[in-house]
Amino acid sequence: MVDVLRPVPATTPGTGEIFQILRDGHARTKAELATLTGLARSTVALRIDALLAADLLRPAGEAASTGGRPPARVAFNPRAGVVIAVDLGATHATVAVADLAGIILDARTRTIDIADGPEKLLGTILADSTELLETPTATGLPLLGVGIGVPGPVEHSTGRPTNPPIMPGWDRFDVPGYVQRTFDVPVLVDNDVNILALGEQATSWPHVDDLIFVKVSTGIGAGIIAGGQLQRGAQGSAGDMGHVQVPTGAGSTREPGDERDLEALASGSALAIALRADGHEAQSASDVVDLVRAGNAAAIEATRQAGRDVGEVLATVVNLLNPSIIVLGGSIARAGEHLLAGVREVVYRRSIPLATQHLAIVQSQAGDRAAVLGAAIMVAREVLSPVNVDRHVAAKTR
């Protein structure tokens, strides 16, 4: 098994840069690549041959002849390897195996309790991963990396959860190190909202470079894509809007001295507490969703107000970052249009006109597999980066 992050000198410098051109899936000839890169055809031919030998490219037929023998075309080979993608939630875990283009080949979901701790849950995930790698869709393909999303803050450089409020026992746990005892490959760990943002963009908004994904569920967080790149911040805490104090807007029923943050006001857990205090049977976010879907007037109004509170924070975000799309996801967003309506009501009123001129605020369309898709994209981008492709080619051809 090849560790594509091991520092091995590349025998064909620049091979990784040519490979990036072909990752869009379009087949090209060596002559076309020479024109695109400005490199000599002999140089391009050398690098393409190295990529073919490493199985990262595949022959893709012949182009139309302009006289003489038709030139051969090459294309990205997404079956050169697979990645494991994991979505860990408070009460569920989805494990998937995907090819290098981010296509999910197989997956399984189970009910969990994140409070069971890292060793027990990661052991279960690793067992599921091993079984998925032995299914017909993945058998014989090398594993090149593992991507994991968790429901809490992550120091991205180390992959360690940091003070995660709903993950007892996980603080500073070395998730990559534990996984690498079983799979000797790169392991990337990120907050679940970040991988949801990647999955939503790839599924529904592939041509949008500025997108914010907001998850409203047991907790609240945001994944920020700006300029086409996921923004994690200096330590990995970018997008933690759940801990932003909510301004008291016009018409608010809150007391002037109420300094609760957004998560304490608008998360599924907070809504359950408020509804329970009013005599409704609501122990969790899922109970809130059930009440909303059943037409309970108090739950519907509470969810609409939660949308307004989310909108108060998002209005500032819109003025600062000027996204094209805001996507609302999570269990509370899926309960109906009520959260969405509350967010729109406030954001369009409180943001500057230029920032909202073409802003769309929509519900998530990516479905239940958005998170594992995002995890697969995250790890594939890493292992197929130019420097890592050079190292992979060098290891394969030496």
Side-chain angles (χ1 to χ4, degrees):
M1 189 171 294
V2 176
D3 182 348
V4 296
L5 293 184
R6 187 175 294 123
V8 178
T11 55
T12 53
T15 302
E17 282 80 3
I18 287 184
F19 176 73
Q20 302 309 307
I21 298 172
L22 291 158
R23 282 193 62 195
D24 62 6
H26 295 300
R28 294 178 176 88
T29 66
K30 293 175 181 177
E32 289 170 335
L33 290 166
T35 300
L36 284 170
T37 62
L39 296 172
R41 289 196 185 188
S42 58
T43 301
V44 169
L46 175 67
R47 294 174 183 174
I48 293 301
D49 288 345
L51 289 164
L52 286 166
D55 207 32
L56 289 171
L57 297 183
R58 58 177 177 80
E62 296 177 337
S65 174
T66 56
R69 182 178 178 180
R73 299 186 302 174
V74 294
F76 171 41
N77 177 20
R79 303 281 290 181
V82 294
V83 299
I84 290 293
V86 180
D87 168 31
L88 265 181
T91 58
H92 78 276
T94 299
V95 182
V97 59
D99 69 15
L100 297 181
I103 303 300
I104 303 299
L105 304 177
D106 203 351
R108 60 180 57 178
T109 299
R110 65 169 68 237
T111 299
I112 63 162
D113 182 352
I114 197 69
D116 283 344
E119 294 189 355
K120 178 178 179 179
L121 291 181
L122 290 175
T124 300
I125 286 166
L126 290 170
D128 285 346
S129 300
T130 300
E131 291 181 10
L132 286 172
L133 291 172
E134 294 171 351
T135 59
T137 55
T139 299
L141 300 178
L143 177 66
L144 297 185
V146 177
I148 303 173
V150 300
V154 174
E155 184 181 60
H156 186 68
S157 61
T158 65
R160 295 172 183 258
T162 304
N163 296 317
I166 64 169
M167 300 174 67
W170 289 78
D171 184 35
R172 304 302 302 171
F173 185 82
D174 184 8
V175 177
Y178 191 90
V179 173
Q180 285 170 333
R181 295 180 192 175
T182 302
F183 300 127
D184 185 21
V185 295
V187 178
L188 277 68
V189 184
D190 209 340
N191 181 270
D192 59 350
V193 187
N194 284 341
I195 64 171
L196 279 165
L198 290 174
E200 187 74 35
Q201 182 195 37
T203 302
S204 305
W205 310 97
H207 303 299
V208 172
D209 287 338
D210 297 275
L211 175 149
I212 296 175
F213 185 96
V214 180
K215 181 182 179 183
V216 184
S217 190
T218 303
I220 298 177
I224 302 168
I225 295 175
Q229 300 296 318
L230 182 65
Q231 305 299 316
R232 296 187 174 92
Q235 270 71 51
S237 67
D240 189 9
M241 60 182 283
H243 292 102
V244 175
Q245 183 179 330
V246 181
T248 304
S252 173
T253 58
R254 293 163 49 213
E255 297 294 330
D258 189 340
E259 296 185 348
R260 284 179 292 172
D261 62 23
L262 181 60
E263 202 161 279
L265 286 170
S267 67
S269 300
L271 294 180
I273 291 170
L275 288 168
R276 193 163 62 248
D278 285 339
H280 300 278
E281 290 294 328
Q283 301 298 322
S284 65
S286 62
D287 293 332
V288 175
V289 172
D290 290 342
L291 287 170
V292 171
R293 290 175 173 168
N296 182 283
I300 289 172
E301 177 51 35
T303 302
R304 178 73 176 247
Q305 182 56 47
R308 296 186 188 105
D309 291 332
V310 172
E312 292 286 354
V313 175
L314 274 178
T316 300
V317 175
V318 167
N319 289 335
L320 284 172
L321 298 180
N322 190 201
S324 300
I325 304 289
I326 293 176
V327 181
L328 298 179
S331 60
I332 303 302
R334 292 194 297 269
E337 295 282 329
H338 313 292
L339 187 85
L340 181 67
V343 171
R344 286 173 172 168
E345 177 185 330
V346 173
V347 169
Y348 287 128
R349 186 179 74 241
R350 292 177 61 84
S351 303
I352 62 173
L354 182 60
T356 58
Q357 184 176 3
H358 300 294
L359 173 66
I361 304 175
V362 300
Q363 284 186 310
S364 172
Q365 302 296 315
D368 294 338
R369 289 193 174 180
V372 286
L373 174 59
I377 291 169
M378 172 179 69
V379 71
R381 286 179 178 175
E382 174 67 19
V383 300
L384 297 179
S385 67
V387 65
N388 289 327
V389 167
D390 281 343
R391 291 167 178 167
H392 181 73
V393 168
K396 282 281 191 177
T397 57
R398 62 183 175 179

